[in-house]
Amino acid sequence: MTADGSLTGFDDIELATDVTPRLTTVSLPLAQAGAEAVRLALRARAEKEHLMMRGQFVVRDSTMIRVA
């Protein structure tokens, strides 16, 4: 982090908490995504299906505090 900005990551890997500053990141339900991918691959239907999964924004030390 600098005085001018913030840094964020993606996938909330374990390393995000091992670095300094601890990295703000987006945590995704990867196990659920894998299970849904298998379910979709094994189904008999060929219709399109849209799947939305909700991630979680995990704020840590690499994000500046905004002062309004």
Side-chain angles (χ1 to χ4, degrees), residues 52-68:
M52 184 180 300
M53 305 189 100
R54 186 174 300 251
Q56 179 181 1
F57 188 58
V58 182
V59 179
R60 295 193 180 106
D61 304 328
S62 68
T63 303
M64 289 178 38
I65 297 172
R66 292 183 68 180
V67 180

Side-chain angles (χ1 to χ4, degrees), residues 11-27:
D11 277 354
D12 196 21
I13 61 173
E14 190 173 320
L15 181 62
T17 59
D18 291 339
V19 295
T20 302
R22 295 178 315 137
L23 187 61
T24 294
T25 186
V26 176
S27 178

